Amino acid sequence: MSTYVLVPGFWLGAWAWEKVVPPLREAGHDVHPVTLTGLGYREHLAGPGVDLETHIQDIVHVIVFADLRDVILVGHSGASGPVTGAADRIPERIARVVYLDSGPLADGLAHLDVNEPERNALIERRVAEQGGGMSYPLPSWQEHEQAGASLEGLGETEREWFASRASAQPYGAMTQPLALKGGADRLPKTLITCSFPLEQVHAMIAAGHPFFAALAGPEWSFDAVPTGHWPMFSKPAETAAALAALAD
């Protein structure tokens, strides 16, 4: 049996893992899906004080207060920053960090730092006009595709379910730079790519692409669940199987 802590990406709460959790638990694993502050059933806690450090502490507290150890810590998409930060804070409790169609955020960078300036200008305008300066509402599906997020596998049912339960993303969690101390540098790490072919990922690592260079170390392993950017919705059974394959 292994212990999993599952952290969803932007706009999502623990509910996003509803079809991934049961097969993992049926296989005998201990599974803890996380809802970060300001999202999901904790949406009422959103405010100007919610930032990246808040979300890091959310994950740390789930692990520490439940006394979880040898944790397989999974971060989807925009959860890369909180998951990387949490592993850095409590590496002694982490067995492996898993990035699901995501990648580690580097020390000193904020989530917005990896975007093109035009994309950030659009986000900033949306936050100011529709989010009260504090949150980033769920974009349209067209905007997701324009930003490079694959919608493969998301039919009308999945899109309606996603949109009906999504929360505006706390903007401070997108703008605060990540501060690391090197605590998780040697932890085993796995990239499960979904919307990028695994061959393309390896090519970018070999080429020294700045967003992929960090994945060249011996601590990294790789797998793929070919689908769109939200595999917990489009291929939940396959996602659960890929995570279960990482168990001890």
Side-chain angles (χ1 to χ4, degrees):
M1 182 189 79
S2 291
T3 299
Y4 291 84
V5 172
L6 309 179
V7 188
F10 290 170
W11 309 290
L12 306 174
W15 61 267
W17 302 103
E18 285 181 3
K19 296 182 180 180
V20 174
V21 170
L24 287 172
R25 287 180 174 163
E26 288 167 8
H29 301 299
D30 185 23
V31 188
H32 300 259
V34 175
T35 295
L36 300 173
T37 300
L39 297 156
Y41 72 89
R42 305 182 70 200
E43 186 178 64
H44 64 291
L45 299 176
V50 178
D51 55 20
L52 178 57
E53 187 61 32
T54 306
H55 287 175
I56 290 171
Q57 290 303 318
D58 285 338
I59 300 168
V60 169
H61 290 162
V62 166
I63 294 171
V64 171
F65 283 96
D67 196 24
L68 306 180
R69 299 180 185 275
D70 296 322
V71 171
I72 297 176
L73 178 57
V74 181
H76 165 254
S77 187
S80 63
V83 160
T84 301
D88 180 74
R89 304 294 193 276
I90 50 170
E92 70 281 1
R93 291 180 178 264
I94 308 300
R96 179 176 298 274
V97 186
V98 182
Y99 295 93
L100 182 61
D101 216 39
S102 184
L105 189 64
D107 182 41
L109 291 184
H111 281 285
L112 291 185
D113 291 333
V114 302
N115 291 341
E116 296 294 331
E118 296 80 7
R119 176 66 180 163
N120 283 341
L122 175 63
I123 292 172
E124 290 167 6
R125 185 165 62 252
R126 184 66 55 78
V127 169
E129 295 175 353
Q130 300 179 14
M134 298 184 300
S135 60
Y136 178 34
L138 180 69
S140 68
W141 300 117
Q142 181 180 9
E143 288 175 299
H144 277 305
E145 288 187 306
Q146 290 172 345
S150 171
L151 304 181
E152 181 181 345
L154 293 188
E156 287 303 315
T157 299
E158 291 81 13
R159 295 185 191 197
E160 289 176 5
W161 186 49
F162 186 156
S164 68
R165 304 183 73 176
S167 303
Q169 176 67 24
Y171 191 48
M174 302 171 67
T175 59
Q176 184 182 31
L178 179 63
L180 300 175
K181 300 179 181 179
D185 287 354
R186 297 185 180 181
L187 285 176
K189 301 175 182 69
T190 298
L191 169 67
I192 301 178
T193 183
C194 301
S195 55
F196 286 91
L198 194 52
E199 295 77 9
Q200 184 178 351
V201 171
H202 284 303
M204 289 183 174
I205 293 171
H209 189 286
F211 292 163
F212 290 85
L215 282 63
E219 72 275 20
W220 281 92
S221 63
F222 302 88
D223 198 359
V225 178
T227 185
H229 185 56
W230 289 274
M232 66 278 280
F233 299 148
S234 58
K235 286 192 175 180
E238 293 85 345
T239 300
L243 295 177
L246 300 172
D248 294 335

